[in-house]
Amino acid sequence: MDRRKLLVAGAVLAVLALYAVFVPWLSGVDDRVTDFAAARQGPSSSHLFGTDSAGRDLFVRSAAAIRTSLLIAAACALLATVIGSIVGAVAGLWGGWVDRLVMRSTDAINALPHLLLGIVIVAMFRGSIVAIVLSIALTHWTQVARIVRSEILGLRERPYIDAAVLAGASRVHVIRRHVVPAVLPQALIAVVLLLPHAIWHESTLSFLGFGLPPHEPSLGTLLSEARSSLLLGGWWTLVFPAGILVVATVSVAVAGSSLRGAITPPKPSELRL
């Protein structure tokens, strides 16, 4: 069942990726060029998703938006996973007072409201993609750190680790041969599971006006622009971007959940030193 869900979610994500990459390229339409004479036209054969309040084709603009949102979310998930893996590895490998200090600091950061902290960061550098990536990554690494730390603490209790140490293996050898192969699958799962959170946070920041500028297409900016059009009857300006957002996040979440069930950490032989 998990494999079937993973295949379906992967197929949906593949379609979204092809849509995001090829539609803006093949359409030959600049999604930032305005044409007020064609403003707020409903879905038709010439404009499959209709047009927005500035006359821009929503089918093309939505493709560019999902591409931007997915790229930002991927960068956020990767950076958050790297930070969390480093912090969790330091806490798990050193133990003692270092572990206690690192994890109490992690608890303090985790107690802060993520969205408010993200708004504070992006408000200082409004419109900066780097600020958006940092604001999401710096508030979402804590769970990764806990997972990596837990995995390493479990490894330290296994007999083959003790055997490697008694055989004279160095700390670097133990980390490279045993710790890294066990942590990598968890890091991969963390990247996938962080993607939907990153997409929602980026969309929320842009929707609130703290993310990308309005002329840059992202799912958040499209939803923000849809507020005024919706009051004038332009339902399509909300339905299609919101539908893409839901489909993308649900597909990524299902893929991550299925991947977590399918991937198991490697079990090195106790005699492999």
Side-chain angles (χ1 to χ4, degrees):
M1 181 61 69
D2 285 341
R3 186 181 298 273
R4 185 180 303 174
K5 290 181 180 179
L6 181 60
L7 290 175
V8 173
V12 173
L13 291 174
V15 171
L16 284 177
L18 292 174
Y19 167 61
V21 171
F22 288 104
V23 167
W25 177 45
L26 296 176
S27 65
V29 176
D30 189 345
D31 61 90
R32 292 174 294 184
V33 175
T34 60
D35 181 11
F36 291 100
R40 284 190 293 275
Q41 293 184 3
S44 64
S45 58
S46 55
H47 303 290
L48 295 180
F49 288 179
T51 60
D52 61 11
S53 57
R56 295 168 294 201
D57 190 295
L58 271 179
F59 184 70
V60 178
R61 194 161 171 81
S62 295
I66 188 62
R67 180 181 59 192
T68 301
S69 294
L70 286 177
L71 288 175
I72 292 177
C76 296
L78 286 172
L79 182 57
T81 300
V82 170
I83 296 173
S85 298
I86 293 174
V87 173
V90 169
L93 290 173
W94 264 260
W97 67 269
V98 174
D99 183 21
R100 292 192 294 271
L101 177 62
V102 170
M103 296 316 296
R104 295 299 77 75
S105 302
T106 301
D107 291 339
I109 295 175
N110 199 40
L112 297 173
H114 291 173
L115 182 57
L116 292 180
L117 183 59
I119 289 176
V120 170
I121 295 174
V122 297
M124 295 186 292
F125 308 96
R126 185 168 296 184
S128 170
I129 294 180
V130 175
I132 296 173
V133 172
L134 288 176
S135 70
I136 299 174
L138 292 177
T139 56
H140 286 76
W141 59 266
T142 55
Q143 295 302 319
V144 181
R146 289 183 176 280
I147 293 173
V148 171
R149 172 183 175 269
S150 176
E151 187 69 25
I152 291 177
L153 290 178
L155 284 174
R156 291 174 59 179
E157 303 298 327
R158 295 182 183 176
Y160 60 83
I161 298 295
D162 293 334
V165 174
L166 291 175
S170 65
R171 182 187 293 267
V172 174
H173 177 84
V174 172
I175 292 174
R176 177 176 57 84
R177 184 62 63 89
H178 301 296
V179 175
V180 172
V183 169
L184 276 180
Q186 303 300 326
L188 174 61
I189 294 171
V191 170
V192 178
L193 292 177
L194 280 172
L195 278 174
H197 292 281
I199 294 174
W200 278 110
H201 274 258
E202 183 280 322
S203 300
T204 302
L205 291 172
S206 297
F207 178 79
L208 295 175
F210 294 102
L212 294 175
H215 67 277
E216 292 290 343
S218 78
L219 294 176
T221 56
L222 292 189
L223 293 175
S224 180
E225 293 169 1
R227 289 181 295 182
S228 58
S229 297
L230 188 63
L231 296 176
L232 299 174
W235 55 267
W236 55 89
T237 60
L238 174 66
V239 169
F240 291 113
I244 291 175
L245 174 62
V246 171
V247 169
T249 53
V250 170
S251 299
V252 174
V254 170
S257 178
S258 302
L259 192 63
R260 180 170 55 183
I263 292 182
T264 56
K267 297 179 179 179
S269 171
E270 294 186 6
L271 300 176
R272 186 183 178 189
L273 303 179

